[in-house]
Amino acid sequence: MLEALAAIYEGEADPQGPHTAHTLRVTPSPVAFDARSACLLDTGIRSVLSSSPLQAAQAILAVQDRLPWGSNPVEDNTEANIAAMISVATLMGPEGPIPAPDVRLGLVYMRPDCYYPLHIHDADETYVILGGQALWTAGDDVQMRGSGDMVHHPSLMPHAFRTGPEGFVALWRWSGDINLHSYAFVEEAAAELPA
């Protein structure tokens, strides 16, 4: 699975994509990815992944019972109703489980028929939709994104997502200034988005 994820970022135009791929390939994990209890959103995650044609989605599905799905690392900066929309499996970063001081990488699942408001952070970020779809806002660009689409958000670019009836699973990576404390919602702009 890790090789399938690395292969995705190997071809990214931003130089931090190949750097992330290389880091993922050469950094051993000091912890084992042992079998875990299913997370609360496991059924939805499995459903989205099983309908995806992407090799990476199938590789994730094959090890789903070993992935550290849980709360968003920035959950302290969000409201409870927003935090309940998603589950995150952090795979690489300063806090591990694969240690990396200069990048963060993980998976995110967002429930069906939900809106995650406009937000910003210092890190550059690149998402790859692995299954499902969402109406994606990245700055002034608003369009439907689905399996295989890659979306880059430069530092401090406001971005948001609205899922349809199946939700989505995406791979994400942060580079540059990867601090968590800069994560903030841009409420004034969120009120201007179409419903």
Side-chain angles (χ1 to χ4, degrees), residues 46-71:
R46 288 178 184 278
S47 176
V48 170
L49 291 171
S50 65
S51 65
S52 173
L54 300 179
Q55 177 187 3
Q58 300 314 307
I60 293 164
L61 194 55
V63 296
Q64 171 67 5
D65 65 338
R66 296 180 178 273
L67 296 177
W69 289 99
S71 62

Side-chain angles (χ1 to χ4, degrees), residues 2-188:
L2 296 177
E3 177 55 37
L5 301 184
I8 289 172
Y9 285 123
E10 187 66 46
E12 185 182 356
D14 185 296
Q16 288 301 310
H19 170 72
T20 300
H22 176 75
T23 303
L24 189 58
R25 286 181 172 127
V26 302
T27 309
S29 176
V31 298
F33 284 88
D34 293 327
R36 300 168 172 263
S37 298
C39 75
L40 293 175
L41 302 177
D42 184 70
T43 301
I45 295 167
R46 288 178 184 278
S47 176
V48 170
L49 291 171
S50 65
S51 65
S52 173
L54 300 179
Q55 177 187 3
Q58 300 314 307
I60 293 164
L61 194 55
V63 296
Q64 171 67 5
D65 65 338
R66 296 180 178 273
L67 296 177
W69 289 99
S71 62
N72 190 340
V74 295
E75 188 170 288
D76 292 344
N77 299 8
T78 64
E79 297 175 10
N81 63 330
I82 295 172
M85 293 178 199
I86 67 171
S87 187
V88 175
T90 300
L91 301 175
M92 185 169 66
E95 299 84 16
I98 300 170
D102 61 344
V103 294
R104 294 181 188 274
L105 177 131
L107 301 165
V108 61
Y109 166 73
M110 189 164 152
R111 297 169 76 151
D113 302 312
C114 289
Y115 174 65
Y116 196 92
L118 277 173
H119 57 285
I120 60 172
H121 41 71
D122 289 339
D124 283 352
E125 179 177 50
T126 300
Y127 273 94
V128 179
I129 311 303
L130 299 175
Q133 62 181 8
L135 182 63
W136 207 277
T137 300
D140 294 332
D141 180 33
V142 180
Q143 60 181 294
M144 191 61 73
R145 305 285 185 161
S147 296
D149 287 340
M150 184 177 281
V151 187
H152 182 73
H153 309 133
S155 175
L156 299 176
M157 174 185 274
H159 50 288
F161 341 103
R162 181 180 303 280
T163 57
E166 61 183 331
F168 74 80
V169 173
L171 175 64
W172 57 269
R173 71 156 187 83
W174 277 17
S175 60
D177 186 347
I178 61 170
N179 76 76
L180 298 177
H181 66 267
S182 66
Y183 195 99
F185 289 95
V186 189
E187 297 302 329
E188 313 82 67

